[in-house]
Every structure is written in C-alpha cells, then in structure tokens.
Amino acid sequence: MAQMTKSFLLRILAFLQILIFLELSAPEVIFPQNGFNVVYPKHGDVINATDSTFVFGNYPSRDMRVSVNGFNAMLFPNQTFLCMIPVSAGSLRIETQFISDTSSFTDSREIYMPTYLFETSSKFTKIDDSFIYPDRNISIKQGEQIAVIAKGTPGSRMYFSLDGGKMQRMREANHRRRYRWKNTSFGFDTPWSLPRVRGVYVGYFTPNNEDIGKVIQVNYTLIAHDEQVATSINPNSIHVLNDEDVNIKAINQDILLFKKSRGRTLLTSFFEGTLVFDDGGYGEYRRIRFDKNQAFWVNHDNLTTAFENLQMKAVPTSPLYINRSRSDSDHVFIEFISENTIPFQIQHSSNLKNYTVMFWNIATTPGLLRNDYNDPLLSKIAGKMDRDNAYQVRLSFSKKMVWGYEVQKRDRNIVFRFNKAPILDLDSARPLEGMKICIDPGHGPDDGAFGLTGINEKIMTVPYARLLKKMLEERGADIILTRTEETELSLHQRPLFAEANNSDMFISIHFNALPDGVNPIKVRGTSTFYYHPHSRPLAEAVHKRMLKQTGLPDKGFHAKNLAVCRITSMPSILVEPAFIMQPFEETKIIDPVFQEKVCRGIAAGIEDFIKAHR
C-alpha cells in the first residue's frame, strides 16, 4: 500500500512540474473571434480509431471549465485543453462545453469512424460491405492465388462462390494475431493488415485453365448460429488472364521506383521508351515485369500500346557496352551504351563504398571492362552476367562514402554521376565555406499537424529554418530555403528545387504528430528520418546532437520512404524535434530558447558528419 501511495505521489509531482513549466512559458494562444476554439478534430473528419480519440483546443478565460461529451478535459495554464473520449462505429457528435461562472458556450461538430474498424454486432446476421477483398477490379494470371475476404457477424459460417458456382468455406481470422500480408492477396508489394476484430473471414481462389478469359464476380453467403442467412455480391470483378499471352507495352515517361529489401535501398529506373511485360492489374494500376522475379506497379496512364508492340512475343534484348569513365573536380561519370532503352536497378547497402547496378534485357556479355579511369575516388569496376538476360556491374569507391549520385539519359545511353564530397577547410573560422545547404520548412501550402494553441507546422517550421540558416551562414555555408511565410512549394518540387540549385545537403524541418486514438500526454520525444544509406550518417550525427540539446526522450532515427528523403544526389534528412500536439512539447516548440537549442544541435550535427565523412 505504501509503495502504491509513493508511486501515485510521484506521478502527481511529475504532472505538477509540467503544469509549472506550462505556466512559466505559456505561448500566445490563437483564438477565433468568439474566443472558443476546438482545434481538433475538424467537423466531418474521418477518425481511424477504435477505442477512443483526442479532442483539443483552447479557451479565452482562466476561470473556464471544459468538458467533451460529458468528460472533464485536462486544462493547462496556457488556456488549452485536452480530452480523450470514447468512440464507436459510424457518426459521432462531439459536444464541447465551455462553462464559467458568468457564461457558457457549446461547440458542436460531427466526426466519422469507419465501420470496418469495429466488430459487427452479433445481434444481426449481416455482411459488412465496408471491408471486402478484392477492393477494386483486378486482372490476374491463371495459377496465381488471390485472397477473398469479407467481414460480418462473428462466430458464423461464411462461404464464397464465383459467379454463383460451388460455395467454398472461408475461415474466420484470429483477431488477436496481426496478419501482415505481402502479395498473398495479390496487389501492391507493400504489407497491409486485417482489422483486429472478430468476424473477418478469409478464403483463397486460384484460377485454372477453365477460368481463362472470364470476368468473375464473387458472391458471399453468411450463415449465423440460428441459421439466419445474409448474402452479398462483391461489386469488383476478377479478370483471369492467359499465362501464355504476351502483352508488351512501352513506358511513356521516366519513372523512378524506390524500395527497401534486405537492408538494401533499391532504385529501379524505367526511362521513357522502355519495353515491359504487362501481366496484371489492380484498379488503375498495372503490374509490369522485365523478369519473372521482378514485379512493379505503375499507373496505367504511364503505359502505351503501339502497333509494333502487338506483334512482339518477347521484349528485345540489347548489347551493353561500358564506356570509359571521366571526372571533374566535383563528380565521377560512368557511361553505359545500349542499342535499346533498358531498365536498370541501383542497389546500395550499408557498405557506403559500394554500389551494384543491375541491367536487364541484355543480349550478350559486355567486353573486357576498361580500367582506364583516372580518378582516385573510383577504385574498381567489375561486371558479370547474373542470369540469362541481366548484367551486374559492381562499382567500388575509395572514400568512406559517396556523397550522392544521379542518373542521366543521353539518347539510349545511361550516365551515372557520382558526387564528391565538398572540399572544405574545417579548421577555419568558417568551416562550411563553399558548401550549399537547402533547408526545407515543412508543409505549406498545407498546414501540417496542429497543436493545442492552434499553431501548426506550416507556421512554426519557418522560424526554425530562418534561425538554422543564420547559424549555418555564420559557419560559412550558402543557404537556400524552399519557402518562406509568403512563398509556397509543393512537396515533390522541393527535392527538385534543391537539385536545381546544386545543393550539397537537404534538411527538412517538421514537428511530430500522433495518429487518432493515441493519448498525446503519453508520447514525447525527438526523431530523425532518412532513406538512402548515404544519408544515414548525417541523420545519426544530427539526431545525437539534437537529443543532447533538447533533453527530450529519444524516439530514434529511422529509414522511412518520405518524399523529401528520396533525393539520391545528396545526403537528405527530415528532423522532428518534438511533438506539436503534446502539451508540454508544444510549449517548448514556441519557446525561443528551445528553438535555438534545436538549431544549434542540427548545425553541430552537420559539422560532425562532415568531419567524419569528408
């Protein structure tokens, strides 16, 4: 009992410390005209939560009491509030009451929870059409397995039939297990999971020769314990293709596809004019191949069928020749010559000195590789036929890491440009002299995540970017910003902007947020993200320095496929110093002292990285 009392008192003490901090450093709250502001959720939001979700905002007077749907909200000294409320399937009205001794105000809004996230009621015999698979029209080859899924009354018997044929039993998935499927169900090469509720039924269908050419509709039948029956028809169809049919199409615009596999980063390139096999469809996406073991998904608008393609039974192969390398003060160039436009894949692992390039649709083994490169950065080029139509080239470099790379197309030739590290005098008073860094204040035109006071990422990332710009310029760096308060740039234009300005490094500043249903009080910390292996050392160095400056919990540095981190030509990272929707951390984000600490940490981390990898 004494131990429980001590633990309870410690929790109370910790909470009081947070309140004192908020009182001392309370930021300016952004109020609407009437002074009452429910910041989140917005009216009409779809909330992906199954148990509870958060409601937060601010109010104009300290003598107010705030409740949400009858639950008392946590109030903070800067006149903000946070409340966790229970949710259920479908529409939910949120009534937020602001009450003082002299006045009151009620904010009403509606949100919606998708029904597939919740268990279907056992009171009814029902098939819930909100979660079914196939979830769109698909095209599939004979012999390929596809999952058939439906959600309905738990503990029942579920069957599926194809075009009203023989009924086949489906099994109810164990809701306590996390099913993470990868191509088991046909579709994108990314994991996805079933709702963790009872009443999700799974069956499998493998089309055979008799199904070739058919467009099949899936029918569901559910039989409850009391023998009540419910039926449903999946509105999406399955088109079964002949495995022997050859459908060759041309890529009509340059496409780069990124993927992580076994610790390696894979960049697969399809230049305009590349011929590929089209052998499956998933809604508006088509599955393309240039190898039996390699499948990719592209939008059907990226493919063109020409008359000459219809006559082909195979994608033509091409000889591959390796031209001599050349270099200048900033780059090493390696050129490959082919007769046709060919697909290729660049593989980069944690060994930052080595790159592997795989070329497909190759007819013959290239001649003896030339070793007449004269740049000390490039130490070796080695190649071999990897399989019947693929040629593998291994590039080895002498430095700890290559700064980055780009791929350029010249007619049908492919030129790889590997970038050298900037030449800097790190012992001078301006150690970053001669280096250009692109700083990206995250979001804008969109707002990004919001805090309790009403601030958002779009607003708060700009002062951090300006302060970091000032600190790095004092160290001699040339700094460009992707946007300011007055200017905007779309997400995918930002990496292009950095490359067009010949930047040496890309730093994107954001603040973290939480998914619906997670209590913001319980999650705090600093995190950093990267994607390509050559950006990992920068992420690690900056993250370590930021943690030392902020003193917040360590949420780690992680590889994540984020648009601004996919730049290959330079080290690129995204930092999230704190959670903007966490009351304690939102107050820090607005605090100029914290802003200076974060930027000082990022700047020091950049210097640490350059010293270790110049």
Side-chain angles (χ1 to χ4, degrees):
M1 182 69 178
Q3 189 174 4
M4 288 179 60
T5 303
K6 182 179 179 182
S7 175
F8 178 74
L9 289 173
L10 287 173
R11 288 200 299 269
I12 292 294
L13 181 60
F15 183 70
L16 288 174
Q17 288 175 333
I18 292 175
L19 292 182
I20 291 169
F21 181 87
L22 291 171
E23 180 75 47
L24 293 175
S25 55
E28 180 183 355
V29 177
I30 300 172
F31 294 123
Q33 278 190 333
N34 63 7
F36 303 98
N37 187 13
V38 178
V39 175
Y40 186 87
K42 305 294 185 188
H43 177 72
D45 277 355
V46 176
I47 305 298
N48 291 302
T50 58
D51 176 63
S52 60
T53 194
F54 44 78
V55 179
F56 60 73
N58 46 71
Y59 53 94
S61 174
R62 293 199 174 199
D63 64 350
M64 286 263 168
R65 302 183 302 278
V66 182
S67 65
V68 183
N69 288 4
F71 294 89
N72 291 330
M74 289 181 285
L75 306 182
F76 303 98
N78 59 348
Q79 294 165 235
T80 60
F81 72 90
L82 171 69
C83 189
M84 296 295 294
I85 62 169
V87 296
S88 56
S91 296
L92 175 68
R93 178 169 289 277
I94 297 177
E95 301 278 351
T96 305
Q97 290 189 308
F98 302 87
I99 302 172
S100 70
D101 294 336
T102 58
S103 64
S104 66
F105 174 78
T106 300
D107 176 279
S108 296
R109 57 189 63 195
E110 280 196 4
I111 59 175
Y112 180 81
M113 274 61 62
T115 58
Y116 75 85
L117 295 173
F118 296 82
E119 190 170 292
T120 305
S121 173
S122 298
K123 296 179 181 179
F124 308 100
T125 302
K126 180 182 178 182
I127 296 175
D128 181 0
D129 292 331
S130 68
F131 190 84
I132 56 174
Y133 192 89
D135 60 345
R136 62 192 81 184
N137 295 330
I138 69 171
S139 301
I140 186 173
K141 289 278 190 178
Q142 65 187 95
E144 290 187 298
Q145 187 181 71
I146 179 175
V148 176
I149 305 172
K151 180 173 172 286
T153 308
S156 302
R157 304 191 306 277
M158 178 83 85
Y159 301 85
F160 77 91
S161 62
L162 306 173
D163 288 338
K166 179 183 176 181
M167 290 204 304
Q168 302 178 55
R169 183 72 182 267
M170 303 168 70
R171 301 296 178 186
E172 186 171 0
N174 184 345
H175 69 285
R176 292 186 176 88
R177 286 181 56 192
R178 181 173 289 277
Y179 291 86
R180 294 187 66 81
W181 294 354
K182 192 171 184 179
N183 280 356
T184 305
S185 56
F186 190 80
F188 296 122
D189 189 23
T190 53
W192 60 284
S193 57
L194 299 178
R196 300 187 72 178
V197 295
R198 296 189 309 148
V200 177
Y201 299 87
V202 181
Y204 294 95
F205 162 57
T206 304
N208 55 35
N209 292 340
E210 296 177 356
D211 300 311
I212 293 173
K214 291 182 179 179
V215 178
I216 298 172
Q217 212 82 36
V218 179
N219 302 279
Y220 302 105
T221 301
L222 182 140
I223 305 174
H225 286 300
D226 59 3
E227 300 303 317
Q228 292 288 320
V229 177
T231 61
S232 179
I233 299 175
N234 191 322
N236 306 300
S237 60
I238 304 170
H239 180 204
V240 181
L241 306 174
N242 191 337
D243 193 39
E244 296 180 359
D245 288 345
V246 177
N247 188 10
I248 295 175
K249 293 185 179 178
I251 301 291
N252 58 28
Q253 65 179 56
D254 295 348
I255 298 174
L256 292 178
L257 301 175
F258 296 91
K259 179 182 175 182
K260 287 279 188 182
S261 176
R262 298 177 182 176
R264 298 172 300 168
T265 300
L266 308 179
L267 183 154
T268 306
S269 176
F270 299 92
F271 283 134
E272 181 182 353
T274 303
L275 297 179
V276 294
F277 294 102
D278 175 355
D279 76 341
Y282 185 58
E284 68 272 30
Y285 292 90
R286 302 299 302 175
R287 183 176 64 184
I288 60 173
R289 295 183 186 272
F290 48 76
D291 181 281
K292 287 184 178 180
N293 300 316
Q294 296 275 352
F296 302 89
W297 293 91
V298 299
N299 193 288
H300 64 79
D301 291 336
N302 298 139
L303 298 174
T304 301
T305 302
F307 176 76
E308 57 269 23
N309 302 150
L310 299 175
Q311 314 303 314
M312 292 182 179
K313 296 300 180 183
V315 173
T317 56
S318 170
L320 179 72
Y321 306 96
I322 303 176
N323 202 4
R324 69 181 63 193
S325 69
R326 58 187 176 86
S327 64
D328 58 28
S329 59
D330 299 317
H331 315 98
V332 173
F333 300 88
I334 306 171
E335 185 171 9
F336 296 86
I337 303 171
S338 65
E339 294 179 359
N340 301 324
T341 303
I342 56 175
F344 60 91
Q345 186 176 79
I346 303 173
Q347 303 175 6
H348 193 195
S349 67
S350 57
N351 185 339
L352 302 181
K353 293 183 177 183
N354 298 327
Y355 286 80
T356 300
V357 185
M358 187 76 76
F359 297 92
W360 276 273
N361 301 337
I362 304 303
T364 57
T365 304
L368 181 67
L369 294 180
R370 296 184 176 186
N371 291 323
D372 56 359
Y373 39 88
N374 56 8
D375 194 295
L377 177 62
L378 181 59
S379 60
K380 186 178 181 181
I381 304 177
K384 64 177 182 179
M385 287 299 291
D386 184 72
R387 58 199 78 169
D388 289 343
N389 68 337
Y391 190 77
Q392 182 189 91
V393 176
R394 186 175 177 84
L395 306 171
S396 299
F397 296 86
S398 58
K399 294 287 186 180
K400 287 183 179 179
M401 62 168 275
V402 177
W403 200 256
Y405 68 91
E406 293 180 71
V407 183
Q408 302 167 348
K409 181 183 177 185
R410 294 179 183 171
D411 296 323
R412 292 187 176 89
N413 298 346
I414 302 167
V415 180
F416 293 88
R417 190 186 83 176
F418 292 92
N419 301 330
K420 300 178 182 179
I423 300 174
L424 307 171
D425 182 3
L426 296 177
D427 296 323
S428 72
R430 293 167 61 83
L432 302 183
E433 188 85 56
M435 186 173 186
K436 179 175 281 189
I437 301 175
C438 181
I439 301 175
D440 172 41
H443 298 279
D446 67 296
D447 293 325
F450 281 82
L452 279 67
T453 63
I455 64 165
N456 57 46
E457 288 184 272
K458 175 184 175 179
I459 293 171
M460 290 309 304
T461 53
V462 174
Y464 278 79
R466 290 194 183 281
L467 182 56
L468 180 59
K469 177 178 184 289
K470 178 176 179 291
M471 289 183 179
L472 293 175
E473 285 176 339
E474 290 171 353
R475 291 166 166 81
D478 181 11
I479 304 299
I480 58 172
L481 301 181
T482 58
R483 72 173 184 91
T484 63
E485 295 90 344
E486 295 80 27
T487 59
E488 296 177 346
L489 204 61
S490 72
L491 180 64
H492 293 284
Q493 288 175 324
R494 298 181 188 211
L496 299 176
F497 175 81
E499 291 183 323
N501 284 278
N502 298 314
S503 301
D504 298 306
M505 184 179 290
F506 187 92
I507 309 290
S508 187
I509 302 173
H510 289 247
F511 296 104
N512 219 333
L514 292 166
D516 298 316
V518 178
N519 190 338
I521 291 293
K522 297 181 178 181
V523 183
R524 298 176 54 198
T526 299
S527 53
T528 306
F529 298 94
Y530 68 97
Y531 185 67
H532 295 289
H534 67 265
S535 295
R536 188 183 192 278
L538 174 63
E540 185 175 10
V542 168
H543 186 72
K544 182 178 179 180
R545 286 287 195 162
M546 269 203 308
L547 279 177
K548 188 174 181 180
Q549 288 289 333
T550 65
L552 295 178
D554 183 3
K555 298 297 289 182
F557 63 98
H558 310 279
K560 195 169 184 179
N561 192 358
L562 303 171
V564 294
C565 292
R566 290 198 294 260
I567 308 173
T568 63
S569 58
M570 68 193 80
S572 171
I573 64 171
L574 183 150
V575 299
E576 294 192 306
F579 281 83
I580 197 168
M581 61 173 56
Q582 209 281 345
F584 178 71
E585 294 193 2
E586 182 197 21
T587 305
K588 280 183 168 290
I589 288 169
I590 302 172
D591 182 4
V593 174
F594 183 79
Q595 294 177 13
E596 185 163 338
K597 287 181 177 181
V598 168
C599 294
R600 193 183 302 131
I602 296 172
I606 290 172
E607 281 198 61
D608 290 346
F609 162 73
I610 292 172
K611 288 176 182 177
H613 295 87
R614 57 179 169 175

